[in-house]
Amino acid sequence: MKVVSINEIYNNNITINTNIKMFGWIRNRRHSNSGISFIDIYDGSHINPIQVIIKKNIVNYSEVLKLTVGCSIVIEGKLIFSIKNQQKYEIYTYKIEILGWVDFPNNYPISSKKHTYENLRTVLHLRPRTNFIGTISRIRNHVFHAMHNFLYKNNYYWIPTPIITSLDSEGAGSMFHVSTLDMNNIPKNKHGIVDFKKDFFGKESFLTVSGQLTLESYACAMKKVYTFGPTFRAENSNTTRHLSEFWMLEIEQAFSTLEDISVLSEKIIKFIIKYILKNCDSDLNFLCNQCDKNIFERLEQFLSLKIVHIDYVDAINILSNAKVNFQSTVKFGMDFLSEHEKYLVDNYFHSAIIIKNYPKNLKAFYMRLNDDQKTVAAMDLLLPNIGEIIGGSQREERKEILESRLLELGLQKKSYEWYIDLRRYGSVPHSGFGLGFERLISYITGIKNVRDIMPFPRTVKNNFC
């Protein structure tokens, strides 16, 4: 007998009146006085549960009457069309086996009632059982597949970059230490400083904030490469848009300019959104009914509009002339805050935008210095209601200027000798960007708090497991 999923049934992959076997969990149940039980089960593969009909002549019907929400079961029966309009399919069951009971069913944290996002964050290990988190997880999976599919079709090679590193690619210093030293007896040298020579790697090590620098070495040999993995920021940012651990797609491409990657960033996001609209109709409908009634219109409008490209200087001029009382003064050299991004995207352009050529003091050492000696060939892509989702640049391929920037920012040249080697031996113009995976999910789903998108969110003072 074939074991099937609910998704296979709703995708018309299972012939009606076929005998099937299905594993799942109970979402709802009711028992009639006539000796028939109706149980809704789900298996995580589809937003819709499926109703199973169980008559009292079944061998273990006394057990069926004791079933509660959350119990796990396996059923065997015939797939039929439902005679009522509430659902399309039903399963007429002739065998049921209870695999797992729920202890204290009256206190089951994931009852069939509607839960707030805040309440679900207190039971991270159980919240995948809800329709909401199941929907987000399936969409997240499809975004992952679409992203890799796009890159594979466009001849990019996947490169796994280190998660443990000795370098801060952003030069920001907000990194998590990785160490095997005894925290109760930390060795120190004669100067009273921690002796990292006695640590596992023999030097100070961290969780990566980006795989970009190491990825560049492969771009300078294989032309088009990418990495996808977790990145870590020890920033005290307790907002709806920040996580201490998040996933990032990073692309590096040799023989390319800032303009090339700006175009690429637009293409990949539109490809992913088009894929989601085509393959996640049921889950998007759920979100449309639950939290974002304009989700289809919003995503389709994004596909139809061309992303606006502007220079940093032009953005500053627009903000300076805006008849808005911004909390922060607008001037050249400032970094845009969320209030500025929101005005530009939502109020002025009414569109996603790409801002280019930022002042060099705002950006990292590896970004290519422009001819004006004041700005670098950097870009940020901002989405409505989200803000920055992509940050990238043309990388500095000129050895002397790269060395000068390292010195200017007080970074140790010795630590970056291998990176400078890429400029010594056959240097080429190359560019790349990083795409925040959770922020993209946030834009697609309309869920504004990234804590409700990441399965186990790590934030300040919050590390669940």
Side-chain angles (χ1 to χ4, degrees), residues 360-376:
K360 67 176 183 178
N361 64 296
L362 295 179
K363 296 298 182 179
F365 70 93
Y366 52 76
M367 298 188 180
R368 194 180 200 278
L369 189 65
N370 289 328
D371 292 341
D372 61 11
Q373 304 296 304
K374 297 178 181 179
T375 62
V376 289

Side-chain angles (χ1 to χ4, degrees), residues 448-462:
K448 294 180 172 56
N449 197 325
V450 290
R451 292 175 177 86
D452 301 319
I453 291 166
M454 174 66 86
F456 293 94
R458 267 76 166 128
T459 55
V460 179
K461 307 297 183 184
N462 181 21

